[in-house]
Amino acid sequence: MARAARLLAALAALLAAAATGGDARPSKIGLRHRREVVGRSAIFSGEHFVLEETDWYLLNLFRLWWHYGISFLRLQMWVEEVMEKFMRIYKYQAHGYAFSGVEELLYSLGESAFVNMTQRSVAESLLQVGVTQRFIDDVVSAVLRASYGQSAAMPAFAGAMSLAGAQGSLWSVEGGNKLVCSGLLKLTKANVIHATVTSVTLQNTEGKPLYYVEYENEVGKGSDFYDIVVIAAPLHVDNSSSSITFEGFDPPIDAAQGPFQPTVVSLVHGYLNSSYFGFPDPKLFPFASILTTDFPNFFCALDNICPVNISANFRRKQPQEAAVWRVQSPKPLLRSQLKTLFRSYYSVQTAEWRAHPVYGSPGTLPRFALHDQLFHLSALEWAASSVEVMAVAAKNVALLAYNRWYQDLDKIDQKDLMHKVKTEL
């Protein structure tokens, strides 16, 4: 599941940051880029397609301009500006700088503008730069529903990260991206204990903190002492991981945030009901991926998926053939809803998990550092949530733990880092 993959990626990246100095390219662990299979996309309103992709780039641009004016250009400029500033984090981390809180990290990248983007909605921010409400309703909302299962009322920073991922240039590896996580764990030669942590207790030894960690699995219970503890899982009010208790801390640690967004992915092997989408003849249905606006509300996205290994002669199934479709929805699909989307089907496999925070306007952003050497890696998810963001958080926590351990405080929460990095060069 994507949620498990993201957490494993965070843990793997954390360990890899220490073991490889941040050089965790797929080629380093023997992985190859997966060949992409071209497929057209469209946005469905529940009654008709509001936007359809063609095989011709210039025609796609003309359709965007005809329907929405230059809103798509203004959106792209806005996203590029945000991403250009966000990319500074890689330069900061290459020089060993780290941040003890999410607000400090965001401020170092985009000053108060980035911090304010966690309080202001995507819609409000885009309207401010001249994007039309129609474009937001038709296109932006569809992308956010597919990635976060939420609307354009979500905070602008998380929305910008999602919209950046929708503009292409993403990658995957042969065999599935999970191999990146397992490959990094293998590269670090870490000792992985498969168990659930139940408590972290502070013990002081000669003035230095020591953490007593208790855990349990199907074999039984266990415990050990650690100098540094990193929690690479969300601590939110509706998750079993928040049952971790923190004892012996003064003041008490309360890292629990708000609820997470439930997400359901259904893999359906069957025949798509193209008539529902306005194509009575399935042979004429041209799309491999369908996003949705606020309606219909029973599913967010639908796409024809390909194997994790793509052979040279692979081709997508024809629209009239049985294929494997991935349906993303806020709740498990009812039989009647499956019959709406598919003429018939052979099998349905469903995975349900809490994938992302339910974004609102938190009063304060969480901190990575919960205690001297106790860290919460998933704090950054409350600004934005993706595998890439979690990898950034993991590298930050690794550097933060390292800098605190060796008392290199000049590398923590520094201001005006762009100037400092230039002078170091």
Side-chain angles (χ1 to χ4, degrees):
M1 293 183 294
R3 178 73 198 156
R6 195 161 70 254
L7 294 178
L8 188 56
L11 176 60
L14 173 67
L15 296 171
T20 68
D23 183 10
R25 293 168 293 179
S27 58
K28 188 176 180 67
I29 51 179
L31 301 177
R32 295 185 300 177
H33 186 270
R34 173 179 175 268
R35 184 172 67 87
E36 295 299 322
V37 181
V38 177
R40 291 163 57 182
S41 302
I43 298 176
F44 185 63
S45 69
E47 297 180 350
H48 59 88
F49 287 106
V50 298
L51 188 64
E52 300 179 22
E53 184 183 17
T54 72
D55 292 326
W56 295 278
Y57 175 73
L58 291 179
L59 181 56
N60 291 333
L61 289 181
F62 176 77
R63 285 187 171 185
L64 283 170
W65 171 79
W66 182 259
H67 289 290
Y68 307 107
I70 61 171
S71 285
F72 69 97
L73 289 176
R74 287 174 171 158
L75 170 69
Q76 187 168 355
M77 292 171 62
W78 179 75
V79 171
E80 287 179 353
E81 181 182 359
V82 173
M83 293 308 300
E84 182 179 355
K85 293 179 179 178
F86 181 77
M87 295 291 282
R88 294 173 180 174
I89 189 63
Y90 299 106
K91 185 174 291 185
Y92 296 165
Q93 291 183 340
H95 285 76
Y97 290 102
F99 305 92
S100 55
V102 174
E103 184 170 341
E104 289 85 345
L105 186 150
L106 294 180
Y107 191 88
S108 74
L109 301 177
E111 299 185 335
S112 58
F114 266 25
V115 178
N116 291 338
M117 285 178 68
T118 65
Q119 310 290 330
R120 191 171 61 244
S121 72
V122 177
E124 182 183 352
S125 298
L126 291 179
L127 288 171
Q128 192 173 11
V129 297
V131 177
T132 65
Q133 185 66 55
R134 182 185 176 193
F135 186 79
I136 294 171
D137 292 340
D138 287 357
V139 180
V140 174
S141 293
V143 173
L144 297 179
R145 274 171 58 84
S147 55
Y148 282 121
Q150 299 176 48
S151 71
M154 68 183 296
F157 188 80
M161 296 295 110
S162 173
L163 291 164
Q167 295 188 8
S169 71
L170 299 180
W171 60 270
S172 57
V173 299
E174 289 185 358
N177 287 350
K178 66 178 183 179
L179 297 180
V180 176
C181 308
S182 58
L184 289 175
L185 285 174
K186 184 177 180 180
L187 183 67
T188 61
K189 300 179 180 179
N191 176 31
V192 180
I193 301 172
H194 297 278
T196 299
V197 174
T198 57
S199 68
V200 179
T201 303
L202 175 63
Q203 305 279 341
N204 285 304
T205 304
E206 298 179 355
K208 289 188 176 182
L210 197 63
Y211 303 99
Y212 182 62
V213 177
E214 296 179 274
Y215 51 86
E216 60 185 20
N217 54 24
E218 62 277 2
V219 177
K221 297 182 178 181
S223 61
D224 210 338
F225 288 94
Y226 296 90
D227 295 305
I228 300 173
V229 173
V230 177
I231 300 171
L235 298 172
H236 53 90
V237 296
D238 55 358
N239 183 39
S240 60
S241 65
S242 62
S243 62
I244 298 176
T245 58
F246 300 95
E247 301 174 4
F249 295 90
D250 187 19
I253 290 178
D254 182 15
Q257 299 293 315
F260 265 48
Q261 176 76 28
T263 297
V264 179
V265 168
S266 302
L267 299 183
V268 183
H269 180 207
Y271 297 89
L272 186 70
N273 181 18
S274 58
S275 296
Y276 175 69
F277 299 100
F279 289 82
D281 186 351
K283 294 181 180 179
L284 301 179
F285 187 79
F287 306 116
S289 178
I290 300 172
L291 307 182
T292 64
T293 58
D294 290 339
F295 299 98
N297 57 12
F298 73 90
F299 79 102
C300 301
L302 170 73
D303 58 300
N304 175 228
I305 61 175
C306 300
V308 292
N309 292 308
I310 305 295
S311 61
N313 59 352
F314 175 82
R315 67 168 182 83
R316 286 188 184 274
K317 295 284 188 179
Q318 296 299 308
Q320 71 273 18
E321 297 178 313
V324 178
W325 293 84
R326 176 174 55 194
V327 187
Q328 182 181 327
S329 58
K331 297 178 181 179
L333 295 173
L334 302 175
R335 182 177 177 83
S336 59
Q337 293 168 338
L338 284 168
K339 296 298 289 184
T340 298
L341 294 176
F342 299 93
R343 288 183 289 126
S344 62
Y345 53 88
Y346 297 108
S347 64
V348 180
Q349 297 184 34
T350 301
E352 181 176 1
W353 74 101
R354 299 190 180 277
H356 308 286
V358 176
Y359 288 105
S361 297
T364 57
L365 291 166
R367 300 186 64 76
F368 298 107
L370 302 180
H371 193 255
D372 290 358
Q373 292 294 343
L374 173 63
F375 306 99
H376 183 207
L377 188 152
S378 299
L380 192 53
E381 279 200 285
W382 287 95
S385 179
S386 70
V387 172
E388 294 79 9
V389 168
M390 293 301 289
V392 167
K395 183 68 177 288
N396 179 72
V397 166
L399 291 170
L400 182 60
Y402 179 90
N403 294 337
R404 283 194 169 195
W405 184 263
Y406 289 101
Q407 291 296 298
D408 193 358
L409 303 184
D410 290 339
K411 293 287 188 178
I412 301 175
D413 294 336
Q414 290 298 304
K415 308 290 185 181
D416 194 22
L417 275 184
M418 280 302 294
H419 176 72
K420 284 185 170 66
V421 167
K422 287 179 180 178
T423 55
E424 287 180 13
L425 292 176

